[in-house]
């Protein structure tokens, strides 16, 4: 069964350092999402791509976060500089299109900022 | 008002009983509704989707949607200890928005 691949699974970083997460969606899925989930809360959408274009990044803290999907396939989410409040699980997900379709999550990347 | 609100937990149900999880949403143009299950430390997995008013059954799970009341629920019949997890309601209008989740514990 096809899966969304994410790496690294776990990352511990010091505050003010840079950190990056990588995601490879299910083959053929045009829509890719990055969500952040703080412990005890539901996932919050950070950015949504349709192919290589950003569809929604309204909740992305653009002063420190950036995301790209240059060739419309895999994607990278970067945080620089990391802050203590960034500690969370970063979930990548993909779907065939952006409306009404099931989205499939990767296993997530746990970030701890110390 | 939060876009998607779920009944506060945690919810504790005896094994074999019916677990009822509720969700309300604020955006009237929402068209797609989903229930995800999330085990501790794991990512969410889809268990039900519903798009039109009424009930949708899949095994022990039944999703109920009432667009007029902006309400969606999930019933789990014959609850099993393996159903113990956090259940996330997700609603799609322009984007998919998740509720905060309800933690469900099934007691043997």
């Amino acid at each position: 069964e096809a899966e969304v691949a994410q790496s690294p699974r776990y990352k511990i970083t010091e505050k003010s350092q840079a950190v990056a997460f990588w995601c490879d969606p299910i083959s053929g899925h045009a829509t890719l999402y990055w969500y952040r989930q703080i412990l005890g809360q539901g996932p919050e959408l950070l950015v949504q791509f349709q192919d290589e274009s950003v569809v929604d990044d309204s909740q992305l803290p653009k002063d420190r976060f950036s995301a790209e999907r240059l060739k419309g396939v895999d994607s990278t989410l970067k945080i620089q500089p990391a802050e203590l409040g960034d500690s969370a699980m970063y979930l990548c997900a993909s779907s065939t299109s952006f409306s009404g379709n099931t989205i499939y999550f990767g296993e997530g990347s746990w970030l701890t900022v110390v | 008002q939060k876009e998607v609100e779920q009944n506060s937990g945690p919810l504790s149900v005896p094994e074999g009983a019916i677990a009822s999880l509720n969700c309300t949403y604020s955006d009237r143009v929402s068209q797609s509704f989903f229930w995800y299950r999330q085990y501790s430390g794991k990512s969410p997995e889809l268990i039900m989707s519903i798009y039109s008013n009424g009930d949708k059954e899949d095994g022990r799970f039944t999703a109920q949607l009432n667009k007029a009341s902006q309400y969606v629920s999930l019933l789990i019949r014959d609850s099993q200890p393996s159903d113990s997890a956090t259940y996330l309601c997700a609603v799609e209008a322009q984007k998919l928005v998740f509720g905060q989740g309800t933690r469900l514990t099934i007691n043997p």
Side-chain angles (χ1 to χ4, degrees):
Chain A
E1 181 178 316
E3 294 181 343
V4 177
Q6 287 190 246
S7 67
R9 289 292 319 281
Y10 304 94
K11 180 73 176 178
I12 300 174
T13 191
E14 294 183 347
K15 63 180 181 179
S16 80
Q17 296 300 303
V19 62
F21 302 107
W22 175 81
C23 172
D24 191 12
I26 294 172
S27 179
H29 280 196
T31 308
L32 184 147
Y33 313 79
W34 283 102
Y35 282 86
R36 176 173 61 185
Q37 187 175 22
I38 295 169
L39 200 62
Q41 299 182 19
E44 175 192 21
L45 181 67
L46 292 176
V47 61
Q48 179 179 332
F49 290 92
Q50 182 67 21
D51 299 311
E52 66 276 8
S53 301
V54 173
V55 173
D56 187 331
D57 63 356
S58 57
Q59 299 303 311
L60 187 71
K62 298 181 186 62
D63 56 336
R64 299 185 300 108
F65 286 64
S66 64
E68 60 183 17
R69 193 185 185 197
L70 293 177
K71 297 183 179 179
V73 180
D74 60 338
S75 175
T76 302
L77 177 71
K78 296 179 181 177
I79 307 173
Q80 182 175 19
E83 296 181 352
L84 296 178
D86 296 332
S87 295
M89 181 163 63
Y90 290 83
L91 291 158
C92 181
S94 69
S95 66
T96 53
S97 69
F98 63 86
S99 179
N101 292 283
T102 300
I103 71 169
Y104 298 89
F105 285 93
E107 291 188 315
S109 294
W110 285 95
L111 172 65
T112 301
V113 182
V114 297
Chain B
Q1 182 187 7
K2 292 183 180 178
E3 295 180 72
V4 180
E5 291 204 57
Q6 298 186 235
N7 52 328
S8 58
L11 183 64
S12 184
V13 173
E15 184 176 357
I18 296 175
S20 177
L21 302 161
N22 303 314
C23 174
T24 58
Y25 59 95
S26 59
D27 192 339
R28 286 193 167 273
V29 301
S30 300
Q31 294 295 323
S32 304
F33 306 86
F34 306 89
W35 283 99
Y36 284 81
R37 178 176 62 200
Q38 187 173 28
Y39 292 115
S40 181
K42 303 294 186 182
S43 62
E45 57 177 326
L46 181 71
I47 52 172
M48 290 286 286
S49 60
I50 187 166
Y51 304 98
S52 56
N53 282 329
D55 294 359
K56 179 181 178 182
E57 186 174 319
D58 184 0
R60 296 186 295 110
F61 298 95
T62 300
Q64 300 173 319
L65 175 61
N66 184 325
K67 290 186 179 180
S69 300
Q70 296 175 240
Y71 176 90
V72 58
S73 66
L74 179 71
L75 300 178
I76 307 174
R77 292 182 301 280
D78 188 23
S79 297
Q80 302 297 310
S82 60
D83 295 326
S84 297
T86 295
Y87 289 80
L88 296 162
C89 172
V91 176
E92 184 179 60
Q94 284 77 34
K95 63 182 180 182
L96 191 63
V97 179
F98 285 83
Q100 76 274 25
T102 299
R103 186 165 182 173
L104 174 66
T105 300
I106 307 301
N107 300 307

